Amino acid sequence: MHIFDSVQKTKRLFTPQNESKVTLYVCGPTVYDDAHLGHAKSALVFDLLVRVLRANGYAVTYARNITDIDDKIIKKAVEQNKSIKEITEFYTDAFHKEMAQIGVSRPDLEPKATESLDAMYMLIRKLIDSNHAYQTEDGDIYFDTSSDSQYLTLSKRVQNEDEKINRVENSSHKKNSADFALWKSVKDGTVVFDSPFGAGRPGWHVECSAMIEKHLADKDMNFAVDIHGGGADLLFPHHENEAAQTRCGTNHALANYWMHNGFVNIDGEKMSKSLGNSFFLKDALKVYDGEVLRFYLLSTHYRSNFNFNQEDLAASKKRLDKIYRLKKRLFGLAEDRDKTLFQEELLKALSDDLNISNALALIDEMVTHANETLDTAGKHKELKAETLSNLAYIEEILGFGSKNPFEYFQSGVDDETKTKITELILKRDEAKKAKDFATSDKIRDEILSYGVSIMDTPQGTFWEKV
RNA sequence: GGUGCCAUCGCCAAGUGGUAAGGCCGCAGCCUGCAAAGCUGCUAUCCCCAGUUCAAAUCUGGGUGGCACCUCCA
């Protein structure tokens, strides 16, 4: 397996620290609002990574945190006159439900910031004791970036002199402009935790370092985790700061491999909270099938920026439809359990830094070949069993094709309409039998008016929602 | 301003030195009562210029054009 390391900026052979065991940590959502397409993309990318790692025989422990302590959460709670817990539980629950709809499996561990405060206190204490952090007179605790000779080596940023001056003016209590808060003392009485350093709340960056140390890290290893992932925007400052804290506060570096997924743009525009053009997953799910969204969002390489638009989504749907039509063609038959050459090639493609384009090309070719053979006369018992095994493998490793193929094509159609369509198809079949094509075509037009298309096959007439 | 990334058919998108995968759209055909679905065939020399090399979409230099991060963000 090869992984592009976004810190070393090169594709590296993946070798876990601990033989066949792999630890993966991904920065999860801050639960103060609905998940947008970017959250979906990130969750999908790492869901795929875990599936591919497991298919390669690794025992993976995958952790994705829930940030449930944050100023924006508190702001929302105050605005809506609700408790913090009500807000975070509502959005955490929504996040889980929406992720399930796009086929994202739950991580093995889902640590919450509120459940990891002890680990944060411990890490902050270590950083203070080792002179990597200091407390100001108003109670804030900052990480002293000048104490870490390796600071900025992760993002390879060069500090700008003008920026330095501006920031120091804004926050005169900091020793260095780049110093970031580990602990914010809070005086407004809203939400505070009683820490050994006084009342306040933890800084964002310290949450992840502490959670990794508490829930995932192997203390004896050179790296806390094998792989650390997240959105491309997190490289700086979030991951830079996380790495600094872990490096200075523990006996190991944070991660051996870093993976950052590209962004989702909407019709060429960046989607961001400040621009207010977020496309929420829940809204997309009202219009599009979850699995189509999964296929579409995964259809472009994870590191590329992704431009969401309806035309490309429609093309993805057609591509996924072909998988389901083949599945429909073989419905109810028994599969073969032997691993096929196709499966080996598919895994090989995905093991090359998740080369999804090559993987999809292999799938298209497999589907076409299977259809071609099935079109010709003969029973092809072996091919059918093998193809079903291939489809099952695609489902396992990519999460495509998990539904009943008939339901997939008819989702969103109510029972009353379904009954009506079935009746019309029967009527049309009778007209066809009697060679009354004028009537049968008229009935077909009526069926089409329900927004479905029909197809005559040797097994009978089937219909699909358009 | 600093740092970094990218530029391949109408659209999406692989390919990082050996002579351009795949999908969508389009055209022609097979199949079909006609369709739909499925299948077959056809459709690019890789932003521009210069260089390195027996050989470059792939490497180097210079342009041009996009984009990202530097501020909460996946």
Side-chain angles (χ1 to χ4, degrees):
Chain A
M1 172 122 198
H2 287 262
I3 286 174
F4 183 87
D5 184 334
S6 44
V7 167
Q8 293 187 17
K9 295 193 190 303
T10 181
K11 207 184 268 184
R12 297 170 58 201
L13 177 69
F14 177 67
T15 314
Q17 303 182 90
N18 197 342
E19 291 173 39
S20 62
K21 286 184 186 172
V22 175
T23 47
L24 165 67
Y25 182 90
V26 175
C27 291
T30 300
V31 282
Y32 73 102
D33 204 350
D34 288 303
H36 54 57
L37 292 177
H39 293 106
K41 169 87 183 175
S42 182
L44 284 165
V45 164
F46 292 104
D47 181 70
L48 177 61
L49 175 68
V50 170
R51 287 168 188 255
V52 172
L53 284 167
R54 289 194 173 131
N56 274 294
Y58 294 116
V60 183
T61 305
Y62 170 30
R64 183 185 60 208
N65 73 297
I66 297 279
T67 298
D68 60 353
I69 303 173
D70 185 89
D71 288 353
K72 290 186 290 294
I73 297 171
I74 294 160
K75 189 172 167 240
K76 190 136 194 168
V78 171
E79 277 170 12
Q80 300 194 354
N81 197 25
K82 285 179 180 156
S83 72
I84 302 292
K85 216 176 173 190
E86 278 178 286
I87 297 288
T88 58
E89 280 182 356
F90 176 83
Y91 287 112
T92 302
D93 190 44
F95 182 80
H96 286 150
K97 283 180 180 153
E98 287 159 18
M99 288 304 140
Q101 282 194 70
I102 54 171
V104 172
S105 306
R106 284 284 281 273
D108 304 297
L109 300 168
E110 218 169 20
K112 291 179 178 171
T114 47
E115 293 164 357
S116 310
L117 284 159
D118 52 339
M120 295 181 213
Y121 299 155
M122 207 185 293
L123 182 61
I124 293 171
R125 170 54 61 201
K126 277 185 188 163
L127 288 168
I128 292 174
D129 291 347
S130 57
N131 289 319
H132 286 295
Y134 56 91
Q135 189 157 26
T136 63
E137 54 193 42
D138 44 11
D140 297 333
I141 300 172
Y142 288 99
F143 181 88
D144 183 354
T145 51
S146 67
S147 76
D148 175 22
S149 62
Q150 292 181 66
Y151 191 67
L152 295 182
T153 53
L154 197 78
S155 59
K156 298 179 180 62
R157 257 191 98 234
V158 178
Q159 203 143 15
N160 183 313
E161 286 303 315
D162 297 339
E163 197 182 298
K164 244 181 194 173
I165 294 160
N166 287 336
R167 294 238 184 126
V168 171
E169 279 174 359
N170 290 342
S171 185
S172 54
H173 295 296
K174 285 204 270 185
K175 283 188 189 170
N176 313 288
S177 62
D179 292 356
F180 53 91
L182 299 173
W183 189 259
K184 299 186 236 182
S185 78
V186 177
K187 303 106 195 159
D188 59 13
T190 49
V191 179
V192 293
F193 301 93
D194 287 317
S195 79
F197 327 105
R201 328 192 248 276
W204 175 39
H205 312 301
V206 80
E207 295 180 5
C208 284
S209 286
M211 282 189 264
I212 288 170
E213 222 44 47
K214 177 175 176 178
H215 301 281
L216 203 55
D218 186 330
K219 310 283 183 282
D220 302 325
M221 290 291 168
N222 291 332
F223 298 96
V225 294
D226 288 303
I227 307 169
H228 188 130
D233 56 328
L234 296 180
L235 181 54
F236 186 87
H238 187 53
H239 291 161
E240 184 75 60
N241 294 350
E242 269 185 60
Q245 292 158 356
T246 299
R247 183 193 299 133
C248 297
T250 73
N251 60 345
H252 49 206
L254 185 50
N256 193 1
Y257 298 82
W258 290 85
M259 292 177 79
H260 290 93
N261 65 276
F263 264 51
V264 178
N265 296 331
I266 305 290
D267 288 325
E269 281 234 332
K270 188 195 164 180
M271 177 172 58
S272 84
K273 280 157 196 174
S274 50
L275 285 173
N277 63 344
S278 296
F279 191 172
F280 294 113
L281 183 55
K282 65 171 183 183
D283 294 325
L285 284 167
K286 284 177 197 160
V287 191
Y288 311 110
D289 181 89
E291 195 170 343
V292 172
L293 281 170
R294 176 187 179 89
F295 190 102
Y296 178 45
L297 288 168
L298 279 177
S299 67
T300 296
H301 189 78
Y302 75 94
R303 275 186 280 124
S304 308
N305 280 338
F306 187 93
N307 189 27
F308 189 98
N309 67 78
Q310 302 223 11
E311 293 72 34
D312 296 343
L313 187 134
S316 277
K317 182 188 181 304
K318 290 190 176 184
R319 224 171 170 179
L320 180 60
D321 285 353
K322 287 175 82 164
I323 294 176
Y324 269 108
R325 288 209 186 92
L326 181 59
K327 195 177 178 186
K328 198 157 78 169
R329 236 179 142 165
L330 302 169
F331 193 69
L333 300 175
E335 70 177 73
D336 193 335
R337 277 284 160 203
D338 290 339
K339 198 163 183 182
T340 63
L341 180 65
F342 162 78
Q343 292 168 32
E344 281 172 29
E345 286 180 343
L346 186 71
L347 181 59
K348 197 176 153 198
L350 290 168
S351 298
D352 179 18
D353 194 37
L354 305 181
N355 191 329
I356 191 76
S357 287
N358 280 341
L360 293 181
L362 285 167
I363 291 174
D364 287 326
E365 280 159 14
M366 187 279 288
V367 170
T368 297
H369 176 252
N371 275 320
E372 186 188 354
T373 313
L374 292 171
D375 277 351
T376 61
K379 290 202 167 178
H380 308 298
K381 202 176 168 187
E382 270 182 39
L383 175 101
K384 285 178 179 172
E386 205 173 271
T387 304
L388 276 165
S389 163
N390 289 342
L391 290 172
Y393 193 72
I394 292 167
E395 183 181 328
E396 179 192 327
I397 199 167
L398 282 158
F400 302 151
S402 56
K403 290 176 187 159
N404 173 304
F406 294 94
E407 286 167 11
Y408 167 81
F409 284 113
Q410 301 181 354
S411 74
V413 180
D414 59 70
D415 289 344
E416 199 182 322
T417 310
K418 280 182 186 169
T419 310
K420 186 73 193 162
I421 291 169
T422 307
E423 281 170 14
L424 286 167
I425 285 174
L426 283 173
K427 268 174 73 182
R428 177 169 167 275
D429 283 345
E430 279 170 32
K432 272 177 67 187
K433 243 180 224 168
K435 304 243 188 259
D436 180 1
F437 297 122
T439 304
S440 96
D441 287 354
K442 204 180 143 194
I443 297 170
R444 179 166 62 196
D445 287 342
E446 198 183 340
I447 297 171
L448 261 44
S449 71
Y450 285 96
V452 303
S453 74
I454 59 172
M455 42 207 67
D456 297 328
T457 77
Q459 287 79 40
T461 302
F462 296 114
W463 65 273
E464 295 179 359
K465 192 185 165 197
V466 177

